Amino acid sequence: MAIPIGKIMGHDINRKIDGIFYEESSMTIGTGHTQQTQHIKNYCNAIQKDKEMVSVAYLGENGKPTGIKVDVPLDEFLKRYTFEPDYKVKSTEERQADKHSAKAEKHRKRKEFNSSEWEYTKAIRVDPENVRANFGIGVLYLEMGEEEKAKKVFKKLSQIEAVFEDENKHIFNEFGIELRKNGMLDEALANYLKAMEISPRDENLYFNVARVYYAQKDSDKAIEFLNKALAINIYFREAKQFMDFIKEEANTTAHGQDQEKNGP
């Protein structure tokens, strides 16, 4: 019988728990100034046995059961575990690419550009369409002042469909920003419009589309998308400020043109 506790952790438990969940844990590595804390998601297949107990079978990196299986009281389970509706098992190549990318990002933060490029290149060699690695090396080239190389990478990245998968939400917005900053306005606009198909309620995407249109000298379109951003989030201060700026600029331009027509 279903347990009427409502919706918790993204899972509708008006029906019995049955699906993939994760428990997040922290691990400290290194010592002294090199000490870092890593957050790890431990995935499991959880099945509710009865009103009081949930069977939890932990999964390995390959998505297969590790053999570790425990029973967890329902109230404790709801506090510790989070539902993962978009669980995806990564291939060996994807996992290797992610490891190289993680190393590359650490080198990049320390301005160790050659080492970072080496790790990103290894990641792309293993998994040519790895979104994290391609985006990372593109940003790295910008930091190195290699704009032409960055543009080539971003052009390739815009053609990789995986960029627009839900799990890469944090990337496609940043990706569009980098495209706009580098004058690739048409590519930036295409990136944002495609991203909106996945996240139609993300006000930041509409705001960034407005910035692209403004850079293309299309103030009307910019205001249209700022209005859409504010329709989603009326407290979006940056969107309101940007809209006021565009309108004030338009009024100043129109006033100047009137003065020229009328003469001294």
Side-chain angles (χ1 to χ4, degrees), residues 40-245:
I40 302 166
K41 288 183 179 180
N42 300 305
Y43 289 95
C44 65
N45 186 19
I47 299 174
Q48 189 174 335
K49 297 171 70 175
D50 52 41
K51 291 182 179 181
E52 297 179 356
M53 203 66 66
V54 179
S55 175
V56 174
Y58 285 96
L59 305 174
E61 284 188 342
N62 58 4
K64 295 180 180 178
T66 60
I68 301 173
K69 195 171 181 180
V70 295
D71 287 343
V72 180
L74 178 61
D75 57 347
E76 183 182 341
F77 178 88
L78 295 174
K79 292 175 185 175
R80 289 171 49 189
Y81 295 84
T82 302
F83 183 48
E84 181 56 274
D86 300 316
Y87 179 70
K88 176 185 173 186
V89 178
K90 292 189 176 182
S91 67
T92 301
E93 290 77 16
E94 288 173 320
R95 292 199 302 273
Q96 287 179 349
D98 282 348
K99 287 178 182 177
H100 286 305
S101 295
K103 289 180 183 177
E105 285 158 10
K106 288 177 183 177
H107 286 304
R108 203 178 89 217
K109 285 177 183 176
R110 295 196 291 258
K111 305 296 182 184
E112 297 165 355
F113 294 144
N114 290 335
S115 297
S116 182
E117 183 181 16
W118 174 253
E119 290 294 345
Y120 277 131
T121 301
K122 284 166 76 173
I124 293 168
R125 195 175 295 133
V126 172
D127 183 10
E129 294 198 345
N130 187 277
V131 173
R132 181 179 177 183
N134 278 284
F135 179 70
I137 200 169
V139 174
L140 173 68
Y141 284 144
L142 288 177
E143 292 176 356
M144 293 171 69
E146 300 275 2
E147 290 189 13
E148 288 307 311
K149 282 187 178 180
K151 284 184 178 181
K152 285 180 182 178
V153 171
F154 289 151
K155 190 157 192 175
K156 172 190 171 184
L157 192 56
S158 67
Q159 297 165 354
I160 297 175
E161 286 296 318
V163 171
F164 303 100
E165 292 177 359
D166 198 56
E167 66 184 81
N168 292 317
K169 268 186 183 181
H170 63 291
I171 287 180
F172 56 58
N173 206 3
E174 293 176 50
F175 176 42
I177 291 170
E178 295 299 339
L179 290 172
R180 179 182 56 78
K181 282 181 179 177
N182 285 275
M184 301 172 72
L185 300 179
D186 290 338
E187 290 88 348
L189 189 57
N191 169 80
Y192 285 132
L193 294 176
K194 195 164 184 178
M196 282 177 187
E197 295 174 13
I198 299 162
S199 295
R201 300 293 298 169
D202 185 342
E203 66 270 27
N204 295 296
L205 291 173
Y206 292 89
F207 177 77
N208 284 321
V209 166
R211 294 186 72 171
V212 175
Y213 277 124
Y214 178 76
Q216 291 180 328
K217 313 294 185 188
D218 191 340
S219 295
D220 289 340
K221 272 288 187 183
I223 288 175
E224 176 188 333
F225 276 84
L226 288 171
N227 275 321
K228 289 180 179 180
L230 288 164
I232 296 169
N233 179 5
I234 60 172
Y235 302 107
F236 195 171
R237 183 166 52 89
E238 291 84 354
K240 183 70 170 64
Q241 289 174 339
F242 190 23
M243 185 183 291
D244 290 342
F245 168 78

